C-alpha cells in the first residue's frame, strides 16, 4: 500500500474530507519526510516550527472544512509574501525581511484551508532557471544530486518529486513553471494570462508577461489548484472569466490535432536525446488517437527572442531600478540582475514599441495556427539538467549562449503571448535525468489542454512509475 504522501492531491483531499485521514497525521508524516529527504535536495526552506504546524493541523481537524485545500500542507514559492514568515527572494538584501501580509494568491490558498509549512527555494529574484542563491544555497535534482532542479520554481519541482508536498504553486515569466517541471518528472502549468490575475500594487496594465500557476504530479491536481487560484480580481485590469476547472476524465484523444514544432526549424540547438524523448511522448499521444503533424517554424525565432528579452529587461528595470541606483545595494545584486536592469534603463522607446509589435504579430500568427491545430508541442528544455555548481550553461550542442537566459529560448513562444502551456514528463536520458515536453493551446483553452494532459498522464504515469531514488520515508 502506498504512503498517502505519494497519493494524488485530489485523493489526499478526499481522504481528509471524508475522515479517513486527519490533518495532524498528514502534517506529522510530511515533517518526517522532510526531515529525511530535504537535506539531499534543499527544496524546502524556512520551515516553520513543528509544534506550530502540528497545532495548526489539530485546529484544522477540529474546524469545519474551509475549502478545497483544507488541511493540506503547502510550501509557497520563495518570491511571495506569506504573512509572518521570511521573504528573502533569495537576496542578501532581504535576508531578514518578514512579510506583513499575504500575497493575494497566498490568501486564496489560506482561505481554501491550506497550512503553510515554509517556502520553496528559488534563484535570486527568480532570475534564471537554476535555483541557487547566497541566502539559502542551491536546490539539487532529486534524480541526480549533482545537477540542477531548474527554476525559478526549482524548489517546488524538487519538493513535489520527493513527495514532500502534494501540490505546489509557482510563477512563470520565461519558463519557471515548465522548465523545473520537466527536470523533476512532474507537471507544471502556465495558465492563460488573466486566469490568475497579477498582484495589485504594481504595474498591472502593461506588465503582462508573467503569471502564477500550479505544479503537481498529475493534471487533475493542477485543476484542483486552479479552482483555488483562478479568481478574477476587480482591482486589476486583466481578468479571464471565472469558470469550472472540472476535467472530463477522458482517456482517449481521438481527433485531437497536435502540431510538432521540434527544434523550431533548426533555430533552437538541442542536446542529444531530447528530441527523441519528446517524439516518444508524441507517440503516446498518437496511441491515444491524436493526429501528430510536424510543422515548419511559424515565426522568426530570433525576432521572438529579441522582443522577449527587451520586454523582460524593461519590466525588471522598472521593478528593480531603486536597488540598482544605490551603489551599495547594486553591488549585492547578482550580475544577471544588474545586466537586466542596465539594459532596461537604457532602452529606447522605439525598441520597446518594436518588441510590442512583434508580440502582437506573433499572437495573431499563433491564433491562425490554432484554427487548424488543437495543440502545439515543443521540448521543455534545450539541454539536460546541468551541474549544480554552474551558474548557467554557456553552450548547447556546440552553439554559444550569448545571454544567461538564451538557453531557455524554447520557452519564449509561449511566454511572449500568454497562451496556456503544460509541461508533461517524457522520460529520462541514459544518466537517469528527466525531460519534459510542452503542450500548448490557444488562449482560454486551458481546460481542454488539461484534459489532453490528463489522458496522456493516465496512459504514461511517469511521476508514479519512476519516483526519485531518495531515502524511503
Amino acid at each position: 500500500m502506498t504512503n498517502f504522501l505519494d497519493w494524488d492531491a485530489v485523493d489526499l483531499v478526499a481522504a481528509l474530507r471524508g475522515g479517513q485521514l486527519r490533518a495532524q497525521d498528514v502534517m506529522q508524516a510530511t515533517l518526517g519526510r522532510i526531515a529525511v529527504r530535504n537535506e539531499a535536495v534543499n527544496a524546502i526552506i524556512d520551515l516553520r516550527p513543528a509544534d506550530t504546524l502540528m497545532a495548526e493541523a489539530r485546529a484544522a481537524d477540529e474546524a469545519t472544512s474551509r475549502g478545497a485545500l483544507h488541511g493540506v500542507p503547502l510550501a509557497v514559492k520563495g518570491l511571495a509574501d506569506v504573512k509572518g514568515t521570511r521573504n528573502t527572494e533569495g537576496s542578501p538584501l532581504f535576508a531578514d525581511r518578514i512579510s506583513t501580509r499575504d500575497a493575494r494568491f497566498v490568501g486564496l490558498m489560506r482561505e481554501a484551508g491550506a497550512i503553510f509549512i515554509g517556502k520553496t527555494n528559488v534563484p535570486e529574484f527568480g532570475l534564471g532557471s537554476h535555483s541557487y542563491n547566497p541566502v539559502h544555497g542551491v536546490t539539487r535534482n532529486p534524480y541526480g544530486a549533482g545537477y540542477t532542479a531548474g527554476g525559478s520554481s526549482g524548489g517546488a519541482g524538487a519538493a513535489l518529486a520527493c513527495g514532500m508536498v502534494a501540490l505546489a504553486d509557482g510563477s512563470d515569466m520565461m519558463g519557471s513553471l515548465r522548465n523545473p517541471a520537466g527536470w523533476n518528472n512532474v507537471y507544471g502549468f502556465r495558465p492563460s494570462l488573466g486566469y490568475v490575475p497579477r498582484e495589485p500594487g504594481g504595474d498591472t496594465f502593461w506588465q503582462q508577461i508573467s503569471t502564477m500557476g500550479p505544479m503537481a504530479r498529475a493534471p487533475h491536481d493542477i485543476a484542483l489548484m486552479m479552482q483555488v487560484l483562478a479568481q478574477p480580481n476587480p482591482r486589476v485590469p486583466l481578468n479571464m472569466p471565472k469558470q469550472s476547472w472540472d476535467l472530463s476524465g477522458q482517456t482517449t484523444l481521438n481527433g485531437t490535432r497536435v502540431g510538432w514544432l521540434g527544434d523550431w526549424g533548426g533555430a533552437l540547438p538541442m542536446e542529444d536525446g531530447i528530441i527523441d524523448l519528446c517524439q516518444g511522448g508524441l507517440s503516446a499521444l498518437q496511441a491515444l488517437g491524436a493526429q501528430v503533424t510536424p510543422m515548419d517554424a511559424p515565426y522568426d525565432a530570433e525576432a521572438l527572442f529579441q522582443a522577449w528579452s527587451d520586454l523582460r529587461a524593461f519590466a525588471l528595470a522598472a521593478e528593480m531600478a531603486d536597488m540598482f541606483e544605490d551603489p551599495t545595494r547594486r553591488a549585492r545584486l547578482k550580475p544577471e540582475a544588474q545586466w537586466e536592469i542596465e539594459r532596461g534603463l537604457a532602452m529606447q522607446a522605439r525598441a520597446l514599441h518594436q518588441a510590442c509589435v512583434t508580440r502582437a504579430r506573433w499572437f495573431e500568427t499563433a491564433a491562425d495556427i490554432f484554427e487548424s491545430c488543437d495543440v502545439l508541442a515543443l521540448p521543455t528544455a534545450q539541454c539536460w539538467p546541468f551541474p549544480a555548481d554552474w551558474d548557467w550553461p554557456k553552450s548547447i550542442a556546440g552553439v554559444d549562449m550569448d545571454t544567461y537566459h538564451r538557453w531557455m529560448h524554447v520557452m519564449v513562444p509561449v511566454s511572449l503571448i500568454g497562451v496556456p502551456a503544460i509541461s508533461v514528463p517524457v522520460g529520462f536520458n541514459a544518466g537517469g535525468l528527466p525531460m519534459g515536453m510542452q503542450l500548448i493551446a490557444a488562449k482560454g483553452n486551458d481546460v481542454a489542454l488539461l484534459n489532453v494532459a490528463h489522458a496522456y498522464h493516465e496512459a504514461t504515469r511517469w511521476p508514479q512509475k519512476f519516483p526519485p531514488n531518495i531515502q524511503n520515508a
Side-chain angles (χ1 to χ4, degrees):
M1 184 175 181
T2 60
N3 187 317
F4 56 73
L5 295 182
D6 299 317
W7 293 357
D8 290 353
V10 294
D11 297 326
L12 185 67
V13 166
L16 284 165
R17 184 172 292 121
Q20 292 83 24
L21 284 176
R22 299 181 304 169
Q24 55 193 303
D25 296 328
V26 175
M27 182 61 71
Q28 187 172 40
T30 296
L31 293 174
R33 178 165 282 186
I34 290 171
V36 172
R37 296 187 176 183
N38 193 52
E39 184 177 2
V41 293
N42 190 36
I44 304 290
I45 56 173
D46 286 335
L47 185 67
R48 298 175 63 213
D51 289 348
T52 301
L53 292 172
M54 289 303 301
E56 291 180 6
R58 285 191 293 272
D61 285 329
E62 296 167 0
T64 302
S65 178
R66 290 166 53 192
L69 303 178
H70 188 82
V72 176
L74 291 182
V76 175
K77 184 174 178 178
L79 300 177
D81 285 315
V82 178
K83 185 176 180 179
T85 68
R86 190 165 67 145
N87 183 16
T88 71
E89 298 186 61
S91 170
L93 293 173
F94 301 124
D96 300 317
R97 180 174 61 181
I98 303 297
S99 296
T100 59
R101 52 178 287 279
D102 283 340
R104 182 175 187 266
F105 82 93
V106 172
L108 292 172
M109 293 192 295
R110 192 187 295 276
E111 290 171 7
I115 302 175
F116 300 123
I117 62 173
K119 295 289 190 72
T120 54
N121 202 24
V122 295
E124 185 178 337
F125 297 115
L127 300 180
S129 193
H130 179 21
S131 295
Y132 72 99
N133 63 71
V135 181
H136 303 291
V138 61
T139 296
R140 298 177 177 274
N141 197 299
Y143 292 88
Y147 297 90
T148 178
S152 60
S153 308
L160 278 168
C162 290
M164 295 187 288
V165 291
L167 276 174
D169 69 275
S171 55
D172 191 308
M173 189 183 215
M174 189 172 186
S176 293
L177 284 158
R178 293 161 285 152
N179 174 271
W183 280 356
N184 287 280
N185 192 40
V186 297
Y187 293 85
F189 180 58
R190 178 183 169 121
S192 293
L193 280 177
Y195 271 129
V196 186
R198 285 188 62 78
E199 188 75 9
D203 173 16
T204 56
F205 269 94
W206 188 87
Q207 209 285 64
Q208 301 293 348
I209 53 177
S210 63
T211 184
M212 304 302 302
M215 300 173 72
R217 295 190 295 266
H220 59 182
D221 293 348
I222 296 281
L224 170 66
M225 183 69 100
M226 286 301 294
Q227 290 176 16
V228 175
L229 297 180
Q231 305 297 327
N233 184 358
R235 298 185 63 216
V236 300
L238 181 63
N239 286 274
M240 293 289 281
K242 189 171 182 177
Q243 67 160 330
S244 168
W245 291 86
D246 293 336
L247 300 189
S248 66
Q250 69 189 63
T251 55
T252 63
L253 297 175
N254 294 328
T256 300
R257 301 162 299 176
V258 178
W260 168 232
L261 292 167
D263 61 3
W264 207 268
L268 304 179
M270 298 276 173
E271 290 189 344
D272 289 344
I274 293 174
I275 293 294
D276 292 339
L277 276 189
C278 289
Q279 287 175 334
L282 294 170
S283 294
L285 293 174
Q286 286 177 309
L288 295 169
Q291 302 167 8
V292 178
T293 304
M295 294 181 61
D296 295 331
Y299 206 95
D300 180 75
E302 188 59 32
L304 295 181
F305 188 83
Q306 185 62 52
W308 165 256
S309 58
D310 285 351
L311 291 168
R312 175 182 171 95
F314 182 83
L316 291 172
E319 294 174 359
M320 303 172 71
D322 289 348
M323 288 183 284
F324 184 80
E325 289 167 351
D326 179 338
T328 302
R329 299 175 81 194
R330 179 193 306 178
R332 303 186 75 186
L333 295 174
K334 66 190 292 187
E336 292 82 3
Q338 296 186 42
W339 176 79
E340 291 276 20
I341 299 166
E342 193 167 19
R343 284 191 68 239
L345 293 176
M347 193 168 297
Q348 298 293 315
R350 181 170 291 181
L352 182 60
H353 174 71
Q354 182 55 56
C356 292
V357 170
T358 298
R359 186 185 195 186
R361 296 295 84 78
W362 167 226
F363 186 91
E364 294 166 5
T365 300
D368 291 340
I369 293 170
F370 285 122
E371 289 291 324
S372 58
C373 185
D374 303 301
V375 174
L376 294 175
L378 272 169
T380 296
Q382 294 169 236
C383 61
W384 298 99
F386 51 83
D389 59 358
W390 290 11
D391 47 5
W392 46 277
K394 303 303 190 296
S395 67
I396 293 177
V399 178
D400 291 341
M401 300 290 103
D402 58 350
T403 73
Y404 82 102
H405 50 22
R406 171 69 79 165
W407 62 276
M408 294 178 66
H409 195 159
V410 73
M411 294 294 179
V412 166
V414 167
S415 305
L416 191 59
I417 56 174
V419 294
I422 185 166
S423 173
V424 302
V426 292
F428 303 84
N429 66 7
L433 295 175
M435 183 52 60
M437 177 173 66
Q438 299 177 79
L439 300 180
I440 307 158
K443 188 177 182 187
N445 285 359
D446 299 52
V447 174
L449 181 62
L450 289 177
N451 279 322
V452 171
H454 173 77
Y456 174 87
H457 174 72
E458 289 301 303
T460 57
R461 299 188 66 82
W462 284 106
Q464 289 72 27
K465 292 179 180 177
F466 300 96
N469 184 23
I470 301 290
Q471 285 180 275
N472 188 31

